[in-house]
Amino acid sequence: MSATAARAAAPARRGARFDPRGLVLPLLALIVWQLWALTLPHDSPAPSPARVIATFIELVRSGDLPSALAMSLGRVIAGFATGLATGVTVGVLMGAFRPVRRVLEPIIESFRPVAPMAILPIAILWFGTGTPAAVSIVGYAAFFPLLVNTVHGVSRVDRKLVQAARTMGVSRPRILAKVVLPAAMPSIMLGARLGMSVAWTAIIAAELAVGSKSGGGNSGGIGSMMFVFYAYSVDLNGIVVCMIVVGVVALLIDQLFRAAEARLLPWRQ
Amino acid sequence: MEKTQTGAKPASRDGDGPANAAPQRPGLPAMLLEIPGVVPALSFAGFVALWWAGAAWNGNSIQLPTPPEVFGALVSLARDGELFTNAGLSLSRLIVSMSIAVLIAVPLGFWMGLSETLRRYVDPTIELLRPISGIAWIPLALFIFGVGGVLPVFIMTYVAFFPLVMNTFAGVRGADPKLVAAARTMGVGRLRITARVVLPSALPTIMVGVRLALAGAWSAIIAAELIGAPTGLGFAIEWYRELLASPKVFAYVGVIAGVGYLADLALQWLQRRLTPWTVGGGLS
Amino acid sequence: MQAVENAKLRLKDVTKTFIAPRTLKPTVAVSDVTLDIMRGEFVCIVGPSGCGKSTVLNMIAGLEAPSDGTIFMDDRPISGPSAERGVMFQDYALFPWLTVQDNIGFGLRNGTPGHSLSAGEIKDRIEAHIDLVRLRGSEAKYPHQLSGGMRQRVALARLLANGPDVLLMDEPLGALDAQTRLILQSELLRIWGETSPTAQRKTAIFITHDIEEAVFLADRVVVMSRHPGRVRALLDIDLPRPRNEHVRTTQRFGELSEEIWQLIRDEALEAIA
Ligand SMILES: Nc1ncnc2c1ncn2[C@@H]1O[C@H](COP(=O)(O)OP(=O)(O)OP(=O)(O)O)[C@@H](O)[C@H]1O
Ligand SMILES: [Mg+2]
């Protein structure tokens, strides 16, 4: 009942907020950009809105863009799943058992400022320049938001709820599964959303960097595609197409996770 | 009075036992663990031991150098001064881009908070750009700026812009209307209200935005330098990777974490100075 | 000394001291409580706010350990919580992610009370308890969609559905309107087993601030006092059972209420001064 309410609320709010004034700036930018592009000589590599659209259609038709996108998404999903499994497991252990937390926290905290990109050279050393390196970086990036939010959620579970379950003769493992985990779910879902968003950023970075540093080997994926456009075919329109695709995918991922939250957590006020 | 077996008081309660049990006198080892810093030191020792054991077992110092090798590399890089040059360069790029981002984003966010009209014009554009990560700008920015120091600064400024503008806006919007009204009733003018009431109440949120922006920027600089700069920590780490000088790669990873951590500590200090009323303020 | 054979619960010199985590400052919440509660007895605890009523209840539940002294159930020391002693918490402790019916069925599905029941029997039991607390029509709602009184009834139904031997209730009817409250008081007596022989009754401990509620329900009223929390007096309520609304108008009912009021009056006044 509240599930439908929650699902209905979000689009309604967004619909009500639509305001044509918001389009002024983007449209103006597009027009200025197109006019500027028209003043350039015909063989200039500079991108223009018209050519970006043409390139987009061409890339979709040739199947290059869909296959690169599928490659990147596959890697993100694999890496995210790794980060999800490890982050939530370690997070639950740290949140539920103080000694675990006390021992692991200093180490986790000192790895947190190590950017995923700083791990890239190590990942290349360990896994080469293919998919495993990319997946491990994505997993590393997704791990921290998931871990931190899981720990937060689990350690904040209302003690009374755990006590109530104990007075009903519920076993420890079952309390973890049936009380602690559901109670921490809003935090975990938030961690998943944040984790997925950094994972998507990380895969682009990883593919871009692998493309740029591994002697030009095309490792596939949309980041790699961007690098090929930059370094070999000098196709700025292609680069802009990729940028837009990256942004749209990020937006869709975010919306997907928000919808999942509303659906899976109908009990939140 | 009957002396029943008071000893029957459930003595051994495992972790399952009720909380707040009678305070029992902890033994000496347990007391040592309570001294601040002891547990972190022990877990670091454990971590280094594991790493060392793993490296010894692996036996390939290109894949996984031992702790002494990495420490030796760190010392030699420091002795050369190379480490400080690169760290200094990255740090100065960070400071420049953070400054630019603050100068643009904070006034913009502030103005958006005060003017609904401006927000209606600008907000959708920000929301359109935000999903395009800073990293995705690198190839295009390489064309525009070429390989060099400008590229990382551009990328970091872009990355830092969004948390700053959004937190500033949220802080201004979140300024307690009752405080503003109270100031109004005291005959305080608009400008003064903005400076004396809105700014202070938005400041904690802005500071959180600054810390988020710094974390994001520091993460992006590695990618930017790694791909598009001939200097800096990100460049150095990749340079030694290509030379298969793993101890130096690992040493630089440590430095990146260290500088990022210190920069955040500095901001936390600033946060306490600027907004002392927010105890334990903010992140994480 | 007393008729120990029939004691379901025995509290022996029970003291509870809380130690503040940082300052290590001790607070004596309960001091030297000695009390025998008979099998099938309905005991109400009254006393000013902060006198340690909830603390006593939590210790009987096994959720807190006494700092000193021992609590026995059936002559065995209590060492932790068990489904034999069901608790209804002062703030309900409903699971916010479960609907009314799933909250009521939580113990049956996950804990020891449901071990010998089939899925169908569990379902029937949940349905019966939804009706019992008159929540038909709201069984698919989440706790945040309920009023305070409805939440309280869910908590009561959850407690009863688990069929515990001992009912530990912390102000279970506090948030209800006066009419519902009176109805549920009678209902509670019926569920406890007022019309059955003493041997078949459950053992109930019931905390309340409402003196007349205590007199109406209890076989015995424990009056507690503050600083530190002690048992100040024990009163036998010699009103005949089964009780109905009529008992409230009797002279004896008034006398007993007055007596309890006199006992806690000074402290109650002091507490608000
Ligand atoms: N976990 C705890 N830590 C420290 N002190 C506590 C704790 N629980 C209770 N106390 C203290 O013990 C005393 C008794 O508390 P308790 O909750 O048992 O009172 P109560 O009689 O149930 O009050 P009320 O009628 O308001 O519910 C109070 O002074 C309270 O501050
Ligand atoms: Mg209480």
Side-chain angles (χ1 to χ4, degrees), chain A residues 19 102 126 166 172 213, chain B residues 16 33 43 63 120 136 226:
Chain A
D19 188 329
R102 286 187 69 192
W126 287 355
R166 293 178 65 200
R172 283 257 140 176
K213 292 300 172 179
Chain B
D16 213 47
L33 287 182
S43 42
Q63 265 184 0
R120 296 251 170 187
L226 197 145

Side-chain angles (χ1 to χ4, degrees), chain C residues 53-54 90 170-171:
Chain C
K53 303 184 294 292
S54 297
Q90 194 166 4
D170 200 343
E171 297 187 34

Side-chain angles (χ1 to χ4, degrees), chain C residues 1-271:
Chain C
M1 274 183 349
Q2 312 96 317
V4 172
E5 318 85 62
N6 265 337
K8 178 78 181 171
L9 292 163
R10 298 184 62 202
L11 283 75
K12 186 115 188 60
D13 305 321
V14 171
T15 296
K16 179 70 188 180
T17 310
F18 288 107
I19 312 278
R22 281 282 143 85
T23 59
L24 299 182
K25 220 186 85 170
T27 313
V28 181
V30 173
S31 172
D32 272 324
V33 170
T34 297
L35 183 67
D36 283 356
I37 294 164
M38 302 303 136
R39 195 180 310 280
E41 192 177 20
F42 201 121
V43 172
C44 283
I45 304 179
V46 298
S49 186
C51 70
K53 303 184 294 292
S54 297
T55 307
V56 168
L57 205 79
N58 282 338
M59 287 190 290
I60 297 174
L63 293 169
E64 308 259 17
S67 326
D68 226 322
T70 317
I71 303 177
F72 299 91
M73 176 160 113
D74 298 324
D75 292 319
R76 280 192 306 274
I78 288 171
S79 64
S82 139
E84 297 174 294
R85 277 162 282 125
V87 182
M88 179 175 163
F89 291 90
Q90 194 166 4
D91 45 13
Y92 324 138
L94 296 179
F95 303 108
W97 57 90
L98 295 181
T99 58
V100 167
Q101 53 197 354
D102 291 341
N103 259 292
I104 295 174
F106 185 85
L108 294 171
R109 292 199 179 116
N110 299 297
T112 42
H115 279 179
S116 58
L117 300 176
S118 71
E121 285 167 326
I122 289 176
K123 183 104 187 86
D124 292 344
R125 199 125 141 204
I126 295 169
E127 295 299 317
H129 282 87
I130 291 171
D131 289 329
L132 177 69
V133 294
R134 294 171 174 78
L135 281 170
R136 185 59 62 202
S138 301
E139 63 267 33
K141 285 187 177 159
Y142 288 98
H144 79 266
Q145 298 169 306
L146 304 176
S147 72
M150 289 162 93
R151 278 178 222 179
Q152 205 158 39
R153 281 182 277 154
V154 178
L156 186 61
R158 186 175 68 179
L159 166 71
L160 298 173
N162 292 326
D165 242 13
V166 177
L167 304 169
L168 304 173
M169 294 169 280
D170 200 343
E171 297 187 34
L173 309 181
L176 299 182
D177 62 273
Q179 294 80 15
T180 316
R181 192 168 180 155
L182 292 184
I183 293 168
L184 279 178
Q185 284 172 8
S186 300
E187 202 65 55
L188 199 61
L189 285 179
R190 192 182 63 71
I191 292 157
W192 162 69
E194 181 167 51
T195 50
S196 322
T198 319
Q200 285 165 29
R201 290 176 185 166
K202 293 172 182 297
T203 306
I205 302 179
F206 186 106
I207 296 176
T208 177
H209 276 126
D210 180 340
I211 294 170
E212 300 197 344
E213 181 169 84
V215 173
F216 180 74
L217 293 171
D219 292 318
R220 217 150 36 116
V221 173
V222 179
V223 181
M224 290 185 66
S225 66
R226 287 199 301 177
H227 301 312
R230 288 176 187 282
V231 174
R232 175 155 185 175
L234 286 166
L235 272 94
D236 283 317
I237 306 298
D238 48 9
L239 298 167
R241 288 194 190 272
R243 294 173 191 167
N244 54 28
E245 292 310 313
H246 180 68
V247 83
R248 296 179 196 273
T249 58
T250 60
Q251 192 195 347
R252 184 67 187 139
F253 189 92
E255 284 168 13
L256 286 164
S257 304
E258 180 61 21
E259 193 176 340
I260 295 170
W261 171 234
Q262 290 303 337
L263 280 165
I264 59 175
R265 198 178 86 156
D266 296 342
E267 272 191 290
L269 290 176
E270 191 185 300

